[in-house]
Amino acid sequence: MSFDWNNLKIVLAASRAGSLARAAHLLDLDQSTTGRRLTALEADIGTSLFARTKTGLVPTEIGKLIIERAEEVELRMQNLVDEIAVDDGSIVGLVRLISSPWILEELTRAALPDLLKRNPGLDIRLLGLIPASPIRGEVTLSLWFENQPRVSEFAVNLGEVHYGIYARKDCDPSELEWVSFFDEDAPRTAPVRLWEKIRGDRGHRPRLTSTDASGVMRAVEAGIGKAVLPICVAERSDLIVPFGDKPFELCRTLKLHAHPDTVQANRTQAVMEMLRDRFAETFSRPNGDLR
């Protein structure tokens, strides 16, 4: 029995995406081709690799074994590409960056242009949602605050991100309700705890909640309410200002999550170096201290 690597890539994509449609999207193929090649592989093997359920594709025991071995092949091929690229000093391949959308926006603004310009063979894929299951065998870096590393991942501290309290500059903060972060997967984030501490027992409630700082800031700019915001984001707006008798401030440590199987890849190291070197420039306060 022989295996076509292109068909094994379909198995990997299906296991990571959870459906043929999403697997086809990952591979830039049409869904019928993806399904036909997966079915052909299962016919060659003589057994199903996935159970087709209402919630998506679930690997069978044989499927899990083949996925595990295919990931090993994928990692070896990635390492081979890195070793070949070392000869001419280039960085090639795909790196996935997973984080909150506002963090990815800040990196796109301040850090990624230079990295991509210096490395024409490097591709970056930005993902603003936590995948339902770990993206195994692929070069993936995640940036989170409170989120714990997944099984087998490790986390390193990149630096501190400062937050302050803001309202639209032509509004009286005392007359505004609150706009707040709220993530159903992580409801007790540090900005929420700070908001609750400041709110106290005065009966204030959030009129609008968002999972991302960009959505919260747009609400503050629109005069919907006041909010805790990253200073690096808020200080670039001409519509909002910090307020209070004294500047409330929150520091959150941004952590980099990586998988040990891919952390030594050249492209992983290049992106990690960029994140360390450009962290202060990306997430510092544009105007120094709070006004």
Side-chain angles (χ1 to χ4, degrees), residues 8-118:
L8 289 179
K9 287 197 291 187
I10 289 178
V11 175
L12 288 177
S15 71
R16 291 160 180 164
S19 74
L20 282 177
R22 290 194 292 269
H25 180 70
L26 287 176
L27 296 169
D28 197 23
L29 296 172
D30 61 78
Q31 185 174 342
S32 61
T33 299
T34 303
R36 184 174 63 254
R37 286 166 57 177
L38 178 59
T39 300
L41 178 60
E42 289 177 322
D44 288 342
I45 297 173
T47 187
S48 296
L49 301 180
F50 295 93
R52 279 68 167 172
T53 71
K54 292 182 179 180
T55 58
L57 300 177
V58 178
T60 62
E61 290 304 313
I62 294 297
K64 291 177 182 178
L65 175 61
I66 290 180
I67 290 166
E68 181 180 348
R69 296 296 182 261
E71 287 172 347
E72 295 172 0
V73 173
E74 181 183 52
L75 181 59
R76 292 194 186 101
M77 294 184 68
Q78 291 174 349
N79 291 338
L80 176 60
V81 170
D82 280 344
E83 291 170 4
I84 294 173
V86 165
D87 292 338
D88 60 10
S90 62
I91 302 296
V92 298
L94 174 67
V95 176
R96 290 168 174 80
L97 282 177
I98 303 175
S99 191
S100 299
W102 78 266
I103 291 176
L104 299 178
E105 289 175 9
E106 292 301 297
L107 290 173
T108 302
R109 175 188 61 81
L112 292 180
D114 181 61
L115 177 70
L116 293 171
K117 183 178 180 180
R118 289 187 288 106

Side-chain angles (χ1 to χ4, degrees), residues 213-270:
S214 296
V216 173
M217 190 172 80
R218 297 294 173 257
V220 176
E221 288 179 327
I224 294 175
K226 53 198 174 189
V228 179
L229 288 167
I231 294 175
C232 61
V233 174
E235 291 284 297
R236 288 202 305 277
S237 173
D238 295 329
L239 300 176
I240 65 177
V241 292
F243 69 90
D245 297 333
K246 62 178 180 178
F248 285 94
E249 190 171 335
L250 164 72
C251 291
R252 303 174 77 192
T253 301
L254 188 62
K255 299 180 180 181
L256 170 68
H257 297 190
H259 195 283
D261 286 351
T262 56
V263 72
Q264 295 303 323
N266 291 335
R267 57 189 180 277
T268 308
Q269 290 294 312

Side-chain angles (χ1 to χ4, degrees), residues 166-228:
Y166 290 83
R168 184 180 168 98
K169 62 183 179 182
D170 57 0
C171 294
D172 181 353
S174 65
E175 297 180 355
L176 293 173
E177 297 288 354
W178 286 91
V179 176
S180 178
F181 292 91
F182 188 79
D183 185 344
E184 294 181 357
D185 294 324
R188 296 289 297 163
T189 59
V192 173
R193 293 197 300 270
L194 177 62
W195 166 70
E196 291 174 344
K197 178 181 178 181
I198 298 167
R199 180 190 63 171
D201 296 325
R202 289 172 288 182
H204 295 300
R205 63 189 178 90
R207 298 301 311 281
L208 182 148
T209 58
S210 174
T211 59
D212 187 62
S214 296
V216 173
M217 190 172 80
R218 297 294 173 257
V220 176
E221 288 179 327
I224 294 175
K226 53 198 174 189
V228 179

Side-chain angles (χ1 to χ4, degrees), residues 143-162:
L143 300 172
W144 303 114
F145 291 108
E146 286 85 6
N147 292 53
Q148 295 298 312
R150 292 180 182 270
V151 176
S152 74
E153 285 185 339
F154 64 91
V156 295
N157 293 347
L158 283 177
E160 290 185 339
V161 178
H162 295 254

